[in-house]
Amino acid sequence: MHHRQLDPKVSVCIVFVVGMFMSIMDGTIVNVALPSIGHQLGVSSTSIDAVVVAYLLSLAVIIPASGWLGDRWGTKRVFIIALALFTITSALCGLASNFTLLVFFRFLQGAAGGALAPVGTAMLYRTFPPAERVRVSSILIIPTVIAPATGPVLGGLLVDSLSWRWVFFVNVPIGIAAFLFAIFFLPEHREPKAGRFDLPGFLLAGIGLALALYALSEGPTSGWTSPIVLSCALVGLVLLSAFVVVELRKREPLLDLYLLSNRLFCIANLVSLVSSAGFLGVLFIAPLFLQQGLGVTPLISGLTTFPEALGVLLSSQIVARIYPRIGPRRLMAGGLTGVTIVIGLLSLIGPNTSLWLMRVLIFLTGAGMAFAFVPVQTAAFATISSADTGRASALSNALRQLGSALGVAVLGEVLSAVGPTQLSATGKVVPNLAAYHAAFLAAAVLMLLAAGIALAVSDRDAAPSMYRQTKPSGDADTSEETIFVEAG
């Protein structure tokens, strides 16, 4: 029987989208199930957060090492092991008989999820040359954007109709299918010069990043001056500073910080960090505003925030087509300026405003974000060599993770500073919508800042990602036309 090979471009895209979808959706689907988990396992609403934090922390520990692991052991092997571990731990989370076990399995699940994104991204960028990456970015954006939006809707349905355990079980059949597909069709890639494992770098980066993320996620609820948050923040910052000093002196560092001296890579990642903070901050505040502020059900809330994914989907197809002509700078700055205005308008929604207005604004937020996401992912790696791709991908995933935690922390802090509840004239505790409005305005400020940073991107540097294939019109020399855009 003749065995046909699948085009590696197709197989890498399929496995990447499925793997990323699972690991990202897992972050948001669980949030919906928290009240129900707390109720069933008899855990107070203040400690239930550990289910989310455990996942976040192990993600932070693994991400910095993922680039080296993929280079050294092969991206296919590491990705398959991560997929298998993610699927098994998902099943174990669903079967957990008590809270301690659930938190432990979530930690292991996060470790697997932490390797999926950077290793998958490295596989994609190695499979597609710079000129084709705009197409990849519009594929790449599908899991990163639809997954956070699908999570709450699917989570709401599963918790309502089955039980909280199903938010974990849902990963199992998808994981098994992706695992089998990856074994047969994924191409293997190893870097001959992966070097030795940098243990000091791994410990400093992993623990430092985990402590910093913990402080960011707990600060708004426990208070920034609480001893544990303060000590985690300080120790985290000290370890990360030590990490920078140690890595810059190493010949074979875990994360190659010299990649940040590549101007285009550095600025694109800064835009990504700040815009992710604003975007994920909005995705965090909007459901709270809907459920606690306006009193709608979790399912209605999920359906109201879902249009964001549709906005990104439609818009990213347009952006991918016009990117080669316009270049990243104006697309990013223009898109983020538009998003700033739309998020600003979210702060005007009151108890009597139609939810359809909110859905339109959330849709437009997603549509505008595609103008930042697609060019960032395309331009960031335009001048990164194949050998550096694994570590560049780990670095950029670590920064994006930091950005999303930062956004949730900043907006959570604004919310609790203004106070989400107030006493009415009759002495009843009622929602204080002004607090949510202030949080939306804070997200708008972050977006405006990201738009400002985007103006520093040079279209000339991003030129390798802006080649266009044009149909040959008879002249041999016009079959491929190169477009350089003068950086304004």
Side-chain angles (χ1 to χ4, degrees), residues 226-258:
S226 89
I228 184 154
V229 171
L230 255 183
S231 46
C232 282
L234 289 173
V235 177
L237 286 173
V238 168
L239 291 178
L240 288 175
S241 312
F243 169 73
V244 172
V245 175
V246 169
E247 294 298 277
L248 290 177
R249 291 184 177 166
K250 273 210 136 95
R251 272 194 39 233
E252 294 169 341
L254 181 73
L255 281 183
D256 188 353
L257 298 177
Y258 282 108

Side-chain angles (χ1 to χ4, degrees), residues 11-378:
S11 58
V12 167
C13 283
I14 291 174
V15 172
F16 174 82
V17 167
V18 175
M20 281 284 281
F21 197 89
M22 285 198 312
S23 84
I24 295 174
M25 183 174 73
D26 214 75
T28 57
I29 194 171
V30 174
N31 293 347
V32 183
L34 288 180
S36 159
I37 294 174
H39 181 68
Q40 276 209 359
L41 297 179
V43 186
S44 70
S45 56
T46 43
S47 355
I48 192 69
D49 206 23
V51 177
V52 178
V53 175
Y55 187 75
L56 186 72
L57 297 191
S58 59
L59 209 66
V61 173
I62 292 297
I63 287 176
S66 59
W68 181 87
L69 289 170
D71 287 351
R72 179 75 177 77
W73 302 109
T75 44
K76 172 178 178 169
R77 184 187 296 181
V78 172
F79 197 84
I80 285 178
I81 292 171
L83 257 180
L85 183 64
F86 191 84
T87 310
I88 294 165
T89 48
S90 295
L92 291 172
C93 285
L95 295 168
S97 53
N98 61 45
F99 188 62
T100 315
L101 274 177
L102 177 60
V103 173
F104 174 66
F105 294 141
R106 276 289 280 174
F107 186 81
L108 294 179
Q109 192 192 24
L116 285 174
V119 175
T121 313
M123 287 195 299
L124 265 184
Y125 284 120
R126 284 187 175 128
T127 312
F128 288 83
E132 292 179 20
R133 287 186 189 155
V134 158
R135 291 217 330 266
V136 186
S137 294
S138 51
I139 295 166
L140 221 145
I141 208 166
I142 296 173
T144 36
V145 174
I146 293 202
T150 317
V153 182
L154 188 59
L157 283 170
L158 290 171
V159 172
D160 286 350
S161 48
L162 296 158
S163 87
W164 63 264
R165 298 182 181 276
W166 283 90
V167 300
F168 298 111
F169 290 150
V170 74
N171 290 327
V172 178
I174 308 172
I176 292 173
F179 175 78
L180 293 172
F181 181 88
I183 283 182
F184 289 114
F185 297 114
L186 263 193
E188 182 58 286
H189 176 97
R190 276 193 190 79
E191 273 303 317
K193 296 197 200 59
R196 304 215 348 249
F197 185 63
D198 170 14
L199 187 65
F202 171 65
L203 294 173
L204 290 170
I207 301 171
L209 195 59
L211 290 174
L213 288 178
Y214 178 78
L216 282 174
S217 64
E218 289 303 295
T221 44
S222 313
W224 295 98
T225 50
S226 89
I228 184 154
V229 171
L230 255 183
S231 46
C232 282
L234 289 173
V235 177
L237 286 173
V238 168
L239 291 178
L240 288 175
S241 312
F243 169 73
V244 172
V245 175
V246 169
E247 294 298 277
L248 290 177
R249 291 184 177 166
K250 273 210 136 95
R251 272 194 39 233
E252 294 169 341
L254 181 73
L255 281 183
D256 188 353
L257 298 177
Y258 282 108
L259 287 168
L260 292 173
S261 63
N262 174 328
R263 187 163 175 266
L264 183 61
F265 181 75
C266 182
I267 295 171
N269 275 298
L270 256 182
V271 173
S272 169
L273 185 141
V274 180
S275 61
S276 295
F279 182 63
L280 282 143
V282 167
L283 287 189
F284 160 73
I285 288 291
L288 290 178
F289 172 66
L290 286 158
Q291 291 175 45
Q292 293 167 10
L294 302 179
V296 306
T297 65
L299 185 60
I300 296 285
S301 156
L303 291 170
T304 305
T305 50
F306 187 74
E308 160 266 320
L310 304 177
V312 175
L313 260 189
L314 288 171
S315 178
S316 59
Q317 307 312 313
I318 301 167
V319 178
R321 291 211 167 83
I322 59 178
Y323 176 90
R325 283 198 298 282
I326 295 178
R329 182 168 163 263
R330 282 167 292 181
L331 286 176
M332 283 153 70
L336 288 165
T337 306
V339 173
T340 303
I341 296 165
V342 173
I343 295 178
L345 292 173
L346 281 173
S347 68
L348 301 176
I349 290 180
N352 305 320
T353 319
S354 160
L355 278 186
W356 284 103
L357 175 66
M358 182 152 180
R359 287 176 188 135
V360 169
L361 291 175
I362 294 270
F363 171 83
L364 291 173
T365 301
M369 282 313 289
F371 282 82
F373 285 150
V374 174
V376 156
Q377 286 168 339
T378 308

